[in-house]
Amino acid sequence: MKIVVLGAGAMGSIFGGHLAEAGEDVILLDVWREHVEAINNKGLHITGVSGDRYIRVRATTDAKDVGTADLVILAVKAYNTKDAITTYRSIFTPNTILLTIQNGLIDVKMLEQLSGTSRVLVGVTGHGATMLGPGEVYHAGRGKTVIGDPRGGITEEVKHVVEILNRANLEAEASPDVRGVVWTKLMANIGINPVTALTRLRNGEIVENPETRAIMEMAVREAYEVAKTLKIKLLVDDPIAYVIDVAKKTATNKSSMLQDVERQRPTEIDVINGAVVRIGKQIGVSVTVNEILTNLIKGLERSYLKK
Ligand code: KPL
């Protein structure tokens, strides 16, 4: 099976590196030329919880080097999805399985339309990873990767992809209701990411501080109302307690959104709080706090992106 990791940032490199080590036919596809050259010249250097090593894996910026893929693991930042699939459209056939492991609420219909395959699977990963430089990735933490078919049920495709990831030591499991898994993780990102990005506090600090904790709780409460109205079954009974627990367990982390803001990059606000705002408005659930957080992050992005 030819596996293409589309988007060889930190998470894509962790997945691609593990798959290559397991002997899979894998190629990393990314527009970042220096990163691709470093991987081809020296190997992909992964450090951190899974060990310090150089992994031999093919990398390219050019779809022509790939041909077509049997499995595409989509790991680009959500705001680059359209560009990435459009640029590399030729790697997809109607039989390609497209597994997104992106953060936030990804629009599966859009993935189907852009790629031309209806075999789209959704994955939620608990791995933590950071890019250190071209060819250099830090594996910060291991976690389960839960995979499912967005239409529900555990299909043969889901089982097959889970098996491939497990062979590569990526600790995967299948879920018959991946929407519930996505929305549960979304609760943590909704509460933690914009509040940390706006205040520059670390995950644990926004819980200790009553003012920031109150905003975090209000945002999660609204998102929970949206989820309940959509009849989404979360994996937890008390989303606020869950988000507080995640923030405490990752207390010293800078959230991904805070890192984006510090590096003056676009954030994933549109697929996190922004997605809840869009849906809440459609179904008539109040999403005022999420709208304020979304608009503040967008204003902040504009202050540095316009430079
Ligand atoms: O996923 C995260 C992120 O930073 O995006 C959390 C759970 C908030 C951990 O930092």
Side-chain angles (χ1 to χ4, degrees):
M1 175 175 249
K2 193 197 285 177
I3 304 173
V4 178
V5 177
L6 180 48
M11 199 59 78
S13 293
I14 293 295
F15 273 68
H18 277 73
L19 289 163
E21 283 182 309
E24 297 292 344
D25 176 10
V26 51
I27 181 157
L28 308 181
L29 185 56
D30 201 286
V31 288
W32 186 13
R33 196 164 292 282
E34 292 92 323
H35 183 44
V36 162
E37 279 168 7
I39 294 171
N40 287 328
N41 291 337
K42 299 186 303 191
L44 171 66
H45 189 195
I46 297 185
T47 50
V49 289
S50 55
D52 183 341
R53 71 272 194 213
Y54 283 84
I55 301 166
R56 278 278 153 215
V57 54
R58 280 192 303 153
T60 183
T61 57
D62 190 347
K64 286 200 214 85
D65 296 335
V66 174
T68 55
D70 300 308
L71 168 63
V72 173
I73 299 179
L74 182 64
V76 294
K77 290 273 192 182
Y79 50 80
N80 283 330
T81 303
K82 210 168 171 188
D83 277 353
I85 299 185
T86 312
T87 305
Y88 295 121
R89 175 66 178 76
S90 64
I91 69 169
F92 294 93
T93 73
N95 288 325
T96 302
I97 299 172
L98 170 54
L99 167 66
T100 165
I101 56 165
Q102 297 165 285
N103 272 342
L105 208 59
I106 300 299
D107 182 348
V108 169
K109 285 226 158 51
M110 177 191 73
L111 295 185
E112 289 178 352
Q113 277 160 12
L114 291 171
S115 67
T117 175
S118 55
R119 301 174 84 188
V120 176
L121 304 181
V122 174
V124 176
T125 183
H127 284 275
T130 318
M131 274 320 295
L132 298 178
E136 307 275 337
V137 179
Y138 179 67
H139 193 179
R142 300 198 78 95
K144 258 189 330 196
T145 298
V146 183
I147 293 173
D149 187 314
R151 291 151 284 258
I154 297 184
T155 59
E156 287 307 311
E157 279 159 8
V158 171
K159 285 189 204 157
H160 189 40
V161 173
V162 164
E163 198 183 300
I164 293 170
L165 296 185
N166 276 324
R167 275 204 305 262
N169 208 14
L170 283 162
E171 297 127 50
E173 69 181 46
S175 166
D177 179 21
V178 76
R179 268 195 350 150
V181 183
V182 169
W183 273 81
T184 305
K185 172 142 195 247
L186 192 67
M187 292 291 153
N189 294 128
I190 279 169
I192 299 171
N193 292 28
V195 180
T196 50
L198 289 165
T199 58
R200 313 255 169 162
L201 293 171
R202 289 184 189 247
N203 294 359
E205 290 172 314
I206 61 161
V207 175
E208 282 161 20
N209 172 343
E211 293 84 7
T212 46
R213 180 174 168 145
I215 294 175
M216 184 193 88
E217 291 187 3
M218 285 189 271
V220 175
R221 205 165 287 127
E222 281 181 0
Y224 185 36
E225 284 308 314
V226 172
K228 280 196 291 191
T229 309
L230 293 177
K231 303 208 173 349
I232 287 163
K233 286 203 202 92
L234 298 184
L235 305 184
V236 293
D237 294 332
D238 182 348
I240 292 181
Y242 161 73
V243 176
I244 290 171
D245 188 49
V246 172
K248 285 185 175 163
K249 284 191 176 132
T250 58
T252 57
N253 275 23
K254 286 186 178 182
S255 77
S256 55
M257 198 172 285
L258 172 54
Q259 292 181 45
D260 286 337
V261 167
E262 285 186 341
R263 291 181 190 155
Q264 306 213 326
R265 287 190 310 223
T267 72
E268 297 185 306
I269 194 73
D270 278 332
V271 289
I272 301 179
N273 306 74
V276 166
V277 173
R278 280 193 302 279
I279 299 170
K281 286 187 174 180
Q282 277 162 19
I283 62 177
V285 174
S286 165
V287 283
T288 314
V289 175
N290 279 283
E291 186 161 22
I292 293 170
L293 290 170
T294 303
N295 291 357
L296 285 173
I297 292 288
K298 283 186 162 291
L300 186 56
E301 278 179 345
R302 220 153 273 145
S303 73
Y304 53 76
L305 291 178
K306 71 169 188 239
K307 290 181 202 151

